[in-house]
Amino acid sequence: MKILKWGFIGCGEVCELKSGPAFNEVAGSSVVAVMSRSEQKARSYAERHNVPRWYTDAQELIDDEEVNAVYVATPPSSHATFAIMAMKAGKPVYVEKPLASTYDDCARINNVSAHTGVPCFVAYYRRYLPYFHRVKKIIDDGVIGDIVNVQVRFATPPRDLDYAHPETLPWRLQPEISGGGYFYDLAPHQIDLLQQLFGVILDARGICTNRGHLYSAEDSVSAIFRFESGVLGSGSWSFVAHESARIDRILIIGTRGLLSFSVFTYAPIELHTSKGTDLIDVPNPPYVQFPLIKSVIEHLQGLGVCSCTSVSATPTNWVLDRILGKL
């Protein structure tokens, strides 16, 4: 069995809460180096998580002879740069979502992966969570009949950081870094999931605006889209709503019922049919990226196949860019 020794480029919040510890929980895998532009962050993460080495330069981490796989956990604008650097060094990559900040950068990543033969995986971990496996099973079993429409509904109040001075806004609200506003950060999970259920989205259109005037990025988005299966969908996103309007639901409308579920809160799945309403609780693992990371590692060890590749992740960026008018 191949022993994987990971180097992390970026060691922020996602590495602390969702992904980082999972790399040490899979047989034949360990974290041997981390990198951050901040020496304090790199050193702190390494000391707290018993990682042998830390760097402040990404190239030095990639050149580390012991590192044979790289996790890119930086903001999206640098994903393509670091992923391509790692692949050209012959080291497989696991990249945070979205794959990049533009569809064009996704294409660059895929071209390098194809040319070098080095795989690139993407952290659309919800594909592998038990909660969403249950959603898929209900649909595949025909419990709600033929699917006729899909609706995404998301609204949340502004966060305290949204009121910051433009120079201190979080990177998610700086389009040159994130690719857009909160829509580009959160909607990828929703869109990726829906494409796993109903096929690739072949047509997508959107209207976006800024209603709160707290920052320059879009804070309100409406969209329509069509899947290759023929199913039609729509979505509305507001990041400046009142607390009373807070919602995180996807509605799957069928000829025999309605399925409703959340994407971020994992609230009980609601199944509405002629038999009544069922509320279904499905727990997820403590580190939500663990099932996907395990699949990636086993793929690289030759023990399985992980389908969450850069190629499969690219259509989501196409949809995002279409909705925002970037394509």
Side-chain angles (χ1 to χ4, degrees):
M1 179 175 65
K2 180 179 181 180
I3 303 300
L4 291 167
K5 297 185 177 181
W6 292 88
F8 290 1
I9 299 179
C11 49
E13 180 181 341
V14 69
C15 291
E16 295 280 358
L17 304 176
K18 297 180 179 180
S19 62
F23 287 88
N24 289 318
E25 297 292 321
V26 183
S29 171
S30 63
V31 183
V32 299
V34 296
M35 172 268 168
S36 172
R37 290 181 300 174
S38 164
E39 177 179 335
Q40 180 181 359
K41 288 183 178 180
R43 183 195 297 272
S44 173
Y45 190 94
E47 290 176 349
R48 288 182 292 104
H49 295 277
N50 298 312
V51 178
R53 293 181 300 286
W54 55 269
Y55 298 97
T56 57
D57 182 87
Q59 190 64 62
E60 290 183 7
L61 178 138
I62 290 171
D63 290 341
D64 186 321
E65 294 184 358
E66 191 175 4
V67 171
N68 61 9
V70 175
Y71 172 34
V72 177
T74 57
S77 62
S78 59
H79 286 183
T81 298
F82 293 140
I84 288 171
M85 286 168 60
M87 288 187 290
K88 286 186 174 180
K91 302 185 179 185
V93 190
Y94 178 66
V95 183
E96 266 306 319
K97 65 81 212 164
L99 174 57
S101 58
T102 67
Y103 172 73
D104 288 344
D105 272 352
C106 294
R108 290 175 54 220
I109 292 171
N110 291 332
N111 287 338
V112 173
S113 180
H115 179 73
T116 60
V118 178
C120 177
F121 304 93
V122 185
Y124 282 121
Y125 59 87
R126 283 173 170 81
R127 295 189 196 181
Y128 284 73
L129 288 178
Y131 181 96
F132 300 106
H133 284 177
R134 180 66 67 86
V135 168
K136 187 176 189 306
K137 187 175 189 314
I138 292 170
I139 294 170
D140 290 348
D141 287 349
V143 176
I144 60 171
D146 296 329
I147 308 305
V148 295
N149 196 259
V150 175
Q151 298 176 10
V152 181
R153 300 177 183 175
F154 187 87
T156 187
R159 307 179 189 188
D160 291 342
L161 286 174
D162 299 354
Y163 296 94
H165 188 275
E167 294 182 358
T168 58
L169 282 172
W171 63 261
R172 289 175 176 84
L173 294 176
Q174 300 179 48
E176 67 277 10
I177 298 176
S178 65
Y182 285 127
F183 175 78
Y184 218 89
D185 182 52
L186 298 176
H189 277 303
Q190 298 162 319
I191 292 168
D192 179 76
L193 275 172
L194 291 176
Q195 291 189 118
Q196 301 311 301
L197 295 172
F198 306 115
V200 172
I201 292 174
L202 299 180
D203 190 12
R205 308 171 196 180
I207 299 176
C208 55
T209 187
N210 187 302
R211 299 294 296 166
H213 307 294
L214 300 177
Y215 39 79
S216 62
E218 69 288 333
D219 62 23
S220 302
V221 178
S222 293
I224 55 173
F225 36 88
R226 175 174 57 87
F227 298 90
E228 62 181 336
S229 61
V231 172
L232 298 181
S234 62
S236 65
W237 294 262
S238 173
F239 303 99
V240 288
H242 185 263
E243 176 63 35
S244 62
R246 184 189 291 271
I247 188 171
D248 164 26
R249 302 302 286 182
I250 292 182
L251 308 181
I252 311 296
I253 301 170
T255 55
R256 294 169 49 194
L258 168 70
L259 185 65
S260 170
F261 60 95
S262 71
V263 173
F264 302 103
T265 63
Y266 310 116
I269 299 166
E270 298 180 14
L271 175 60
H272 304 270
T273 66
S274 58
K275 298 179 181 179
T277 298
D278 291 325
L279 299 180
I280 306 168
D281 277 309
V282 182
N284 287 317
Y287 299 117
V288 289
Q289 290 201 27
F290 175 81
L292 173 54
I293 289 171
K294 183 173 184 289
S295 179
V296 169
I297 291 169
E298 290 178 347
H299 181 118
L300 296 173
Q301 293 172 334
L303 302 176
V305 176
C306 179
S307 62
C308 205
T309 64
S310 59
V311 172
S312 76
T314 295
T316 291
N317 275 81
W318 182 87
V319 174
L320 296 174
D321 286 3
R322 286 280 296 176
I323 290 173
L324 293 184
K326 294 167 65 175
L327 283 178

